[in-house]
Amino acid sequence: MLAAALGIACASEQPPPGALPDHQPPQIESIEPAPDSIVPGFSGALRVRFDEPVRVEDGSFLRQLVASPLEAYRLEKGFSDLRLQPRDGWRDSVVYCMEIPAGIRDLLSNQTEIGTQFCFSTGVEMIDSEVTGTVLNAETGLPELAASVVFLQAPDSVPYGGLTDENGQFELRSLPSGTYSSFAYVDQNGNFRLDRTLEPYDSATVTSFSGARPDLLFRLVEPDSTPPRLLRAEARDSFTVELEFDDALVRPQPGDPGVTLTDTTGTVSYGVFGLRMGDAASVSFPDAPGSAPADPEAAADSAQTPVGPPAVQDSTTTLEIATDELPTRFVTVRLLEALASGTYLIGAEGFTNMRLLEGGGDTTFVADVPEAVVPPSPDSAVIDDTAAIRAAGDTTAIDTVTARILGRGQ
């Protein structure tokens, strides 16, 4: 019985009798190789020594470890130290950067609150550079947690990089000089490599040199090898038809998409006033036929001063430049004339998804709408924002950030 009691006492992690209470988390006493040192031919274990015994959980620690190059690491635990090695060994002439994660506990469960960052080299010169950036989900605009960001320099295949935090942000110090192809992606299969057929990704080119401080923005797009396809159409009122595609469409559209609308026999066509990216509930056409004037006083002024015939008189579509950058699966079509109840055929072409593939298609829909009463409107021109932009010679209407992302390789 006494032996059993002694066994339990020995197994219990308690401070020695008479010791003062410990409320301090463990502190790192030393790191070998030393931070910012150059150790050619290094082949041992990287050792992090603490000022007291520590406890870590292998799986949790390795999942949270931020290490560059991005590869698998092996952890060995001592009484008051941790030892790390790449599973395939240290590479020659490479800069290694680590962030020991927070949450390392002592025997009384006091734990570290912040991580510890450091770098060392196995031969190559270490320079004063820092690459930072943000990784977002392109469709939602939300930050991507634990996304991989890798920097590759041909012909070398050393995968320098890191992981994003809860804000989708990352930083990488001492990236050796040179021009790199960089990729941000969600490593869904955990193999430390980008699979472009399975994983959402984005890419960029960056140059590193002493004193460089580039800040990058990545927007991850799901892999896609097919063009967007029109799924359905719905009449929201006698003048408005909402289209839904199977892919998210970039906003604004880089091309000149178009929509045609006829009856099911194809003999009666309906003119299109314009298109706007987004669903019918989120967009408006204040100057379109069948819409109440947004400003009665402005409408009265235009009635007193006619400015000519309507600018849109046929089925030509016009696409308004939207201020919202987020892609959308919806396009709202505003018609020049009201629909009666019945079945219609609508076609779409030239719509671009997030992988710069163009598509469209056609479908039928049923309009079940009351007879529209169109109020008399003044003889004023319909404003065509896109035409005005083009007439002014402005070739930068498409948002430059979106254009940068869309211009990358598929």
Side-chain angles (χ1 to χ4, degrees):
M1 191 72 177
L2 178 59
L6 288 174
I8 294 173
C10 291
S12 176
E13 295 177 340
Q14 298 293 333
L20 295 175
D22 178 13
H23 301 294
Q24 299 300 316
Q27 303 292 320
I28 293 178
E29 282 190 335
S30 64
I31 298 174
E32 301 171 7
D36 299 324
S37 64
I38 300 178
V39 190
F42 179 66
S43 60
L46 178 120
R47 187 173 185 180
V48 181
R49 185 187 296 275
F50 293 84
D51 62 353
E52 59 179 315
V54 293
R55 296 184 298 173
V56 297
E57 297 179 5
D58 294 26
S60 176
F61 179 90
L62 291 174
R63 282 193 300 271
Q64 297 178 66
L65 175 69
V66 179
S68 174
L70 290 173
E71 52 191 42
Y73 289 82
R74 182 172 62 249
L75 171 67
E76 295 179 3
K77 297 177 290 186
F79 185 61
S80 60
D81 66 339
L82 304 175
R83 294 180 292 275
L84 285 165
Q85 282 183 294
R87 290 191 178 275
D88 296 328
W90 303 98
R91 302 170 186 252
D92 292 330
S93 298
V94 167
V95 174
Y96 284 88
C97 291
M98 305 276 181
E99 181 177 344
I100 303 301
I104 294 176
R105 297 180 295 165
D106 62 16
L107 299 184
L108 295 179
S109 294
N110 301 308
Q111 65 179 17
T112 56
E113 299 295 333
I114 59 175
T116 300
Q117 299 179 354
F118 59 92
C119 299
F120 73 96
S121 169
T122 59
V124 71
E125 177 189 5
M126 297 182 64
I127 65 172
D128 176 25
S129 67
E130 183 179 55
V131 183
T132 59
T134 304
V135 180
L136 304 176
N137 181 295
E139 190 166 353
T140 66
L142 298 176
E144 288 280 6
L145 170 64
S148 299
V149 185
V150 63
F151 298 83
L152 300 172
Q153 186 179 29
D156 197 349
S157 60
V158 177
Y160 290 109
L163 300 176
T164 58
D165 60 19
E166 65 274 10
N167 298 313
Q169 297 178 334
F170 69 92
E171 68 175 66
L172 176 62
R173 292 200 304 118
S174 300
L175 180 65
S177 298
T179 299
Y180 294 80
S181 297
S182 60
F183 300 89
Y185 62 99
V186 177
D187 190 9
Q188 295 175 343
N189 55 16
N191 65 354
F192 300 98
R193 293 191 300 271
L194 168 61
D195 188 336
R196 299 192 192 199
T197 64
L198 297 175
E199 298 165 341
Y201 72 95
D202 192 12
S203 60
T205 300
V206 65
T207 300
S208 180
F209 52 88
S210 183
R213 297 291 186 272
D215 187 46
L216 306 177
L217 174 63
F218 295 96
R219 296 187 180 183
L220 305 192
V221 178
E222 294 287 343
D224 193 354
S225 60
T226 60
R229 180 172 60 89
L230 179 61
L231 286 180
R232 68 169 189 87
E234 180 181 351
R236 288 306 186 95
D237 58 45
S238 57
F239 281 94
T240 308
V241 180
E242 179 185 270
L243 307 182
E244 182 180 2
F245 291 79
D246 65 344
D247 289 341
L249 307 175
V250 295
R251 176 156 46 179
Q253 287 278 283
D256 189 19
V259 168
T260 58
L261 177 64
T262 66
D263 63 3
T264 52
T265 67
T267 58
V268 180
S269 298
Y270 291 79
V272 176
F273 171 79
L275 312 176
R276 293 195 181 180
M277 305 298 293
D279 61 87
S282 64
V283 302
S284 62
F285 295 83
D287 299 312
S291 300
D295 185 348
E297 294 184 1
D301 291 341
S302 66
Q304 297 172 9
T305 311
V307 292
V312 180
Q313 297 179 339
D314 54 25
S315 61
T316 302
T317 59
T318 60
L319 184 67
E320 177 163 82
I321 301 300
T323 57
D324 190 347
E325 291 182 3
L326 291 180
T328 178
R329 296 174 185 268
F330 297 94
V331 174
T332 301
V333 182
R334 188 69 179 187
L335 303 174
L336 284 169
E337 51 197 304
L339 294 176
S341 294
T343 302
Y344 297 88
L345 175 66
I346 192 165
E349 63 179 2
F351 285 91
T352 305
N353 67 10
M354 297 167 66
R355 285 291 174 207
L356 273 185
L357 301 173
E358 284 192 6
D362 55 63
T363 187
T364 59
F365 67 95
V366 176
D368 184 12
V369 294
E371 293 295 328
V373 178
V374 181
S377 59
D379 186 18
S380 59
V382 176
I383 299 175
D384 181 356
D385 291 340
T386 305
I389 290 173
R390 291 173 178 164
D394 185 355
T395 60
T396 63
I398 296 178
D399 179 82
T400 55
V401 173
T402 304
R404 175 179 65 80
I405 294 167
L406 292 174
R408 299 180 190 148
Q410 303 302 309

